[in-house]
mmCIF file of all heavy atoms in Angstrom:
data_model
loop_
_atom_site.group_PDB
_atom_site.id
_atom_site.type_symbol
_atom_site.label_atom_id
_atom_site.label_comp_id
_atom_site.label_asym_id
_atom_site.label_seq_id
_atom_site.Cartn_x
_atom_site.Cartn_y
_atom_site.Cartn_z
ATOM 1 N N SER A 575 37.411 -187.857 -91.165
ATOM 2 C CA SER A 575 36.356 -188.399 -92.035
ATOM 3 C C SER A 575 35.572 -187.304 -92.748
ATOM 4 O O SER A 575 34.483 -187.554 -93.271
ATOM 5 C CB SER A 575 35.389 -189.248 -91.201
ATOM 6 O OG SER A 575 34.810 -188.460 -90.166
ATOM 7 N N LEU A 576 36.137 -186.097 -92.796
ATOM 8 C CA LEU A 576 35.424 -184.949 -93.354
ATOM 9 C C LEU A 576 35.748 -184.774 -94.831
ATOM 10 O O LEU A 576 36.855 -184.353 -95.187
ATOM 11 C CB LEU A 576 35.805 -183.687 -92.576
ATOM 12 C CG LEU A 576 35.074 -182.387 -92.922
ATOM 13 C CD1 LEU A 576 33.591 -182.497 -92.552
ATOM 14 C CD2 LEU A 576 35.711 -181.213 -92.178
ATOM 15 N N PRO A 577 34.824 -185.062 -95.742
ATOM 16 C CA PRO A 577 35.076 -184.782 -97.164
ATOM 17 C C PRO A 577 35.225 -183.268 -97.360
ATOM 18 O O PRO A 577 34.492 -182.485 -96.754
ATOM 19 C CB PRO A 577 33.817 -185.301 -97.860
ATOM 20 C CG PRO A 577 33.157 -186.206 -96.869
ATOM 21 C CD PRO A 577 33.487 -185.648 -95.531
ATOM 22 N N SER A 578 36.166 -182.874 -98.216
ATOM 23 C CA SER A 578 36.425 -181.438 -98.310
ATOM 24 C C SER A 578 36.957 -181.033 -99.674
ATOM 25 O O SER A 578 37.463 -181.852 -100.445
ATOM 26 C CB SER A 578 37.423 -181.001 -97.228
ATOM 27 O OG SER A 578 38.670 -181.656 -97.405
ATOM 28 N N GLY A 602 21.948 -180.131 -103.049
ATOM 29 C CA GLY A 602 21.301 -180.893 -101.987
ATOM 30 C C GLY A 602 22.198 -181.360 -100.869
ATOM 31 O O GLY A 602 21.744 -182.089 -99.974
ATOM 32 N N TYR A 603 23.453 -180.960 -100.866
ATOM 33 C CA TYR A 603 24.378 -181.403 -99.821
ATOM 34 C C TYR A 603 24.363 -180.457 -98.622
ATOM 35 O O TYR A 603 24.112 -179.255 -98.764
ATOM 36 C CB TYR A 603 25.802 -181.492 -100.377
ATOM 37 C CG TYR A 603 25.984 -182.594 -101.396
ATOM 38 C CD1 TYR A 603 26.089 -182.304 -102.754
ATOM 39 C CD2 TYR A 603 26.025 -183.929 -101.008
ATOM 40 C CE1 TYR A 603 26.242 -183.313 -103.699
ATOM 41 C CE2 TYR A 603 26.175 -184.949 -101.942
ATOM 42 C CZ TYR A 603 26.279 -184.628 -103.283
ATOM 43 O OH TYR A 603 26.421 -185.631 -104.204
ATOM 44 N N ARG A 604 24.632 -181.028 -97.445
ATOM 45 C CA ARG A 604 24.841 -180.213 -96.247
ATOM 46 C C ARG A 604 26.301 -179.764 -96.270
ATOM 47 O O ARG A 604 27.212 -180.577 -96.097
ATOM 48 C CB ARG A 604 24.547 -181.007 -94.974
ATOM 49 C CG ARG A 604 24.713 -180.181 -93.690
ATOM 50 C CD ARG A 604 24.487 -181.044 -92.457
ATOM 51 N NE ARG A 604 23.097 -181.425 -92.342
ATOM 52 C CZ ARG A 604 22.165 -180.719 -91.704
ATOM 53 N NH1 ARG A 604 22.513 -179.588 -91.115
ATOM 54 N NH2 ARG A 604 20.937 -181.133 -91.634
ATOM 55 N N VAL A 605 26.509 -178.480 -96.500
ATOM 56 C CA VAL A 605 27.848 -177.963 -96.769
ATOM 57 C C VAL A 605 28.340 -177.124 -95.591
ATOM 58 O O VAL A 605 27.623 -176.261 -95.073
ATOM 59 C CB VAL A 605 27.860 -177.102 -98.053
ATOM 60 C CG1 VAL A 605 29.281 -176.637 -98.377
ATOM 61 C CG2 VAL A 605 27.286 -177.893 -99.221
ATOM 62 N N GLY A 606 29.574 -177.382 -95.182
ATOM 63 C CA GLY A 606 30.247 -176.538 -94.205
ATOM 64 C C GLY A 606 31.209 -175.612 -94.930
ATOM 65 O O GLY A 606 31.905 -176.033 -95.864
ATOM 66 N N PHE A 669 31.523 -178.948 -87.730
ATOM 67 C CA PHE A 669 31.122 -179.635 -88.958
ATOM 68 C C PHE A 669 30.777 -181.098 -88.675
ATOM 69 O O PHE A 669 29.809 -181.639 -89.220
ATOM 70 C CB PHE A 669 32.232 -179.558 -90.000
ATOM 71 C CG PHE A 669 32.450 -178.185 -90.582
ATOM 72 C CD1 PHE A 669 33.583 -177.912 -91.342
ATOM 73 C CD2 PHE A 669 31.535 -177.165 -90.379
ATOM 74 C CE1 PHE A 669 33.794 -176.651 -91.890
ATOM 75 C CE2 PHE A 669 31.735 -175.895 -90.915
ATOM 76 C CZ PHE A 669 32.868 -175.648 -91.674
ATOM 77 N N ARG A 672 27.388 -181.330 -86.930
ATOM 78 C CA ARG A 672 26.262 -180.987 -87.795
ATOM 79 C C ARG A 672 26.098 -181.946 -88.974
ATOM 80 O O ARG A 672 25.219 -181.764 -89.803
ATOM 81 C CB ARG A 672 26.423 -179.555 -88.316
ATOM 82 C CG ARG A 672 26.309 -178.472 -87.261
ATOM 83 C CD ARG A 672 24.905 -178.368 -86.696
ATOM 84 N NE ARG A 672 23.911 -178.203 -87.733
ATOM 85 C CZ ARG A 672 23.579 -177.018 -88.273
ATOM 86 N NH1 ARG A 672 24.158 -175.906 -87.823
ATOM 87 N NH2 ARG A 672 22.682 -176.947 -89.217
ATOM 88 N N GLY A 673 26.921 -182.968 -89.037
ATOM 89 C CA GLY A 673 26.796 -183.941 -90.105
ATOM 90 C C GLY A 673 27.077 -183.381 -91.482
ATOM 91 O O GLY A 673 26.395 -183.726 -92.459
ATOM 92 N N VAL A 674 28.086 -182.525 -91.576
ATOM 93 C CA VAL A 674 28.446 -181.914 -92.854
ATOM 94 C C VAL A 674 28.881 -182.984 -93.848
ATOM 95 O O VAL A 674 29.693 -183.852 -93.541
ATOM 96 C CB VAL A 674 29.561 -180.865 -92.644
ATOM 97 C CG1 VAL A 674 30.272 -180.529 -93.951
ATOM 98 C CG2 VAL A 674 28.981 -179.603 -92.017
ATOM 99 N N GLU A 675 28.312 -182.910 -95.057
ATOM 100 C CA GLU A 675 28.630 -183.884 -96.102
ATOM 101 C C GLU A 675 29.800 -183.441 -96.971
ATOM 102 O O GLU A 675 30.454 -184.276 -97.601
ATOM 103 C CB GLU A 675 27.398 -184.116 -96.963
ATOM 104 C CG GLU A 675 26.234 -184.723 -96.184
ATOM 105 C CD GLU A 675 24.931 -184.675 -96.953
ATOM 106 O OE1 GLU A 675 24.470 -183.565 -97.268
ATOM 107 O OE2 GLU A 675 24.379 -185.769 -97.237
ATOM 108 N N MET A 676 30.033 -182.138 -97.049
ATOM 109 C CA MET A 676 31.178 -181.611 -97.793
ATOM 110 C C MET A 676 31.585 -180.289 -97.161
ATOM 111 O O MET A 676 30.742 -179.405 -96.965
ATOM 112 C CB MET A 676 30.840 -181.398 -99.268
ATOM 113 C CG MET A 676 31.961 -180.740 -100.082
ATOM 114 S SD MET A 676 33.484 -181.733 -100.133
ATOM 115 C CE MET A 676 32.977 -183.061 -101.236
ATOM 116 N N ALA A 677 32.857 -180.171 -96.816
ATOM 117 C CA ALA A 677 33.384 -178.933 -96.253
ATOM 118 C C ALA A 677 34.178 -178.195 -97.322
ATOM 119 O O ALA A 677 35.005 -178.798 -98.013
ATOM 120 C CB ALA A 677 34.271 -179.222 -95.046
ATOM 121 N N TRP A 813 30.326 -187.655 -106.867
ATOM 122 C CA TRP A 813 29.370 -186.714 -106.279
ATOM 123 C C TRP A 813 28.377 -186.274 -107.348
ATOM 124 O O TRP A 813 28.716 -186.184 -108.533
ATOM 125 C CB TRP A 813 30.105 -185.503 -105.695
ATOM 126 C CG TRP A 813 31.036 -185.888 -104.579
ATOM 127 C CD1 TRP A 813 32.278 -186.426 -104.701
ATOM 128 C CD2 TRP A 813 30.780 -185.804 -103.185
ATOM 129 N NE1 TRP A 813 32.824 -186.678 -103.471
ATOM 130 C CE2 TRP A 813 31.925 -186.301 -102.510
ATOM 131 C CE3 TRP A 813 29.704 -185.344 -102.422
ATOM 132 C CZ2 TRP A 813 32.008 -186.357 -101.128
ATOM 133 C CZ3 TRP A 813 29.794 -185.393 -101.039
ATOM 134 C CH2 TRP A 813 30.928 -185.897 -100.411
#
Side-chain angles (χ1 to χ4, degrees):
S575 59
L576 185 66
S578 62
Y603 292 105
R604 182 183 291 271
V605 184
F669 290 168
R672 293 292 306 275
V674 162
E675 297 168 298
M676 175 62 73
W813 298 79

